[in-house]
């Protein structure tokens, strides 16, 4: 790289991780002057502006979100004692918020990888489906299987069930969860497989890497291409969501002052 070709912005909310990242990048002397390290909640990552006031948009974004990390059980067996379904389900809306913010900061024509080290569909395919729904066709899910060969991976899921954290009852749809658990269910519509046939058809383009595939840990990734600017509400409400007496936190991500 040279000074007129761009830069890398690396963000993390963990002091130890960001310190290690600075150390590792510092060893690559050709890259270090062109790397910017930030410490922000990615759901509210701020806009960066050039000297003429133009908002910086990114050509490529690696959106490696917070996750329950059950894919790391091979190297961290203590995760068996810490992991629980409630924590996994609660991450869903924050993961979606991070991905939506990243999508807004991406250039039209740019590409974004959404990744986790989790095997839970609530953190993976469910977030991908919601991201496609919320962006109204502004993002396209790209099939990256050929690009990673000979690296082995399984296709994304199109069907899954979600267990209720208290009863461990498996539900196939949000309507089923409402019927069995009532309007106070902590499950969200976005946890479940999508109803839209077009979204279901593209979910196999996601990649699920299991430990035995390549002698690695388990992880998930999905590649998106931005085909047009995001417009309208970033997180539209669903008609099937019940009204609640208790206030529900607004799951919409931060919008910069230039977002529509």
């Amino acid at each position: 790289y040279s000074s007129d070709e761009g830069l890398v912005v690396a963000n993390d909310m963990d002091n130890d991780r960001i310190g290690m990242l600075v150390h590792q990048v510092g060893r690559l002397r050709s890259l270090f002057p062109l790397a910017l390290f930030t410490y922000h909640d990615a759901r509210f990552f701020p806009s960066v502006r050039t000297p003429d006031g133009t908002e910086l948009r990114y050509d490529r974004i690696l959106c490696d979100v917070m996750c329950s990390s059950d894919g790391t059980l091979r190297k961290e067996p203590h995760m068996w004692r810490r992991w629980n379904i409630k924590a996994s389900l609660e991450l869903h809306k924050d993961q979606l918020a991070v991905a939506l913010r990243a999508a807004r900061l991406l250039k039209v024509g740019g590409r974004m990888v959404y990744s986790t080290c989790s095997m839970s569909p609530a953190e993976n395919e469910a977030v991908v489906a919601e991201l496609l729904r919320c962006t109204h066709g502004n993002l396209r899910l790209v099939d990256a299987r050929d690009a990673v060969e000979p690296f082995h991976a399984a296709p994304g899921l199109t069907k899954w069930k979600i267990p209720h954290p208290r009863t461990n009852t498996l539900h196939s749809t949000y309507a089923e969860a409402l019927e069995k658990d009532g309007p106070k269910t902590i499950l969200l519509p976005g946890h479940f497989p999508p109803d839209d046939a077009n979204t279901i058809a593209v979910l196999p383009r996601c990649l699920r890497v299991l430990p035995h595939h390549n002698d690695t840990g388990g992880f998930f990734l999905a590649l998106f291409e931005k085909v047009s600017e995001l417009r309208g509400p970033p997180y539209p409400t669903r008609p099937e969501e019940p009204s609640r007496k208790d206030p529900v936190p607004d799951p919409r991500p931060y919008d910069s002052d230039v977002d529509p």
Side-chain angles (χ1 to χ4, degrees):
Y1 292 99
S2 63
S3 58
D4 61 346
E5 289 182 326
L7 77 160
V8 173
V9 179
N11 181 71
D12 207 304
M13 276 290 289
D14 185 292
N15 274 324
D16 292 336
R17 286 167 60 96
I18 200 71
M20 180 60 69
L21 184 59
V22 171
H23 173 73
Q24 294 294 344
V25 174
R27 297 166 59 188
L28 305 173
R29 297 191 178 276
S30 61
L31 176 62
F32 190 74
L34 306 174
L36 174 66
F37 303 95
T38 60
Y39 181 79
H40 284 285
D41 184 335
R43 297 172 300 171
F44 315 110
F45 194 83
S47 298
V48 178
R49 297 186 180 280
T50 60
D52 64 1
T54 304
E55 185 185 35
L56 179 67
R57 295 297 182 98
Y58 299 87
D59 300 288
R60 300 288 186 268
I61 295 178
L62 172 57
C63 189
D64 188 33
V65 300
M66 68 290 275
C67 69
S68 62
S69 304
D70 59 331
T72 66
L73 287 170
R74 186 180 187 185
K75 68 175 183 179
E76 298 183 22
H78 64 274
M79 285 293 301
W80 280 115
R81 296 189 295 272
R82 292 170 41 196
W83 192 91
N84 63 82
I85 187 60
K86 184 174 184 291
S88 176
L89 294 174
E90 289 176 342
L91 285 166
H92 171 88
K93 71 176 183 180
D94 287 337
Q95 293 166 329
L96 178 59
V98 171
L100 280 168
R101 182 59 186 153
R104 284 187 173 270
L105 292 173
L106 189 66
K107 277 184 180 179
V108 173
R111 290 192 167 190
M112 176 181 81
V113 171
Y114 173 86
S115 64
T116 73
C117 54
S118 170
M119 295 286 95
S120 169
E123 301 178 56
N124 296 329
E125 288 89 353
V127 175
V128 169
E130 282 291 272
L131 185 57
L132 292 173
R133 183 183 71 86
C134 294
T135 52
H136 312 288
N138 302 124
L139 293 179
R140 180 176 71 91
L141 189 58
V142 178
D143 191 340
R145 284 174 291 186
D146 292 340
V148 299
E149 288 185 351
F151 198 75
H152 297 293
L157 304 176
T158 58
K159 295 181 180 179
W160 60 87
K161 294 184 178 183
I162 298 293
H164 193 284
R166 288 194 297 268
T167 65
N168 288 326
T169 305
L170 288 171
H171 301 301
S172 299
T173 65
Y174 183 64
E176 182 182 308
L178 279 180
E179 180 181 351
K180 293 184 179 179
D181 301 327
K184 291 187 177 181
T185 181
I186 65 172
L187 301 179
L188 300 174
H191 286 147
F192 296 90
D195 297 324
D196 180 63
N198 292 328
T199 302
I200 295 172
V202 299
L203 284 180
R205 296 177 183 177
C206 302
L207 301 181
R208 288 184 150 261
V209 179
L210 303 180
H212 66 277
H213 284 159
N214 307 279
D215 195 21
T216 64
F219 59 93
F220 172 92
L221 64 89
L223 176 62
F224 295 91
E225 182 175 355
K226 189 172 184 178
V227 297
S228 57
E229 285 293 351
L230 274 62
R231 303 290 179 185
Y235 197 98
T237 57
R238 289 173 173 267
E240 67 268 29
E241 289 191 76
S243 59
R244 304 188 185 191
K245 294 181 181 180
D246 298 330
V248 178
D250 186 356
R252 292 176 297 175
Y254 168 80
D255 292 337
S256 75
D257 54 357
V258 299
D259 285 335

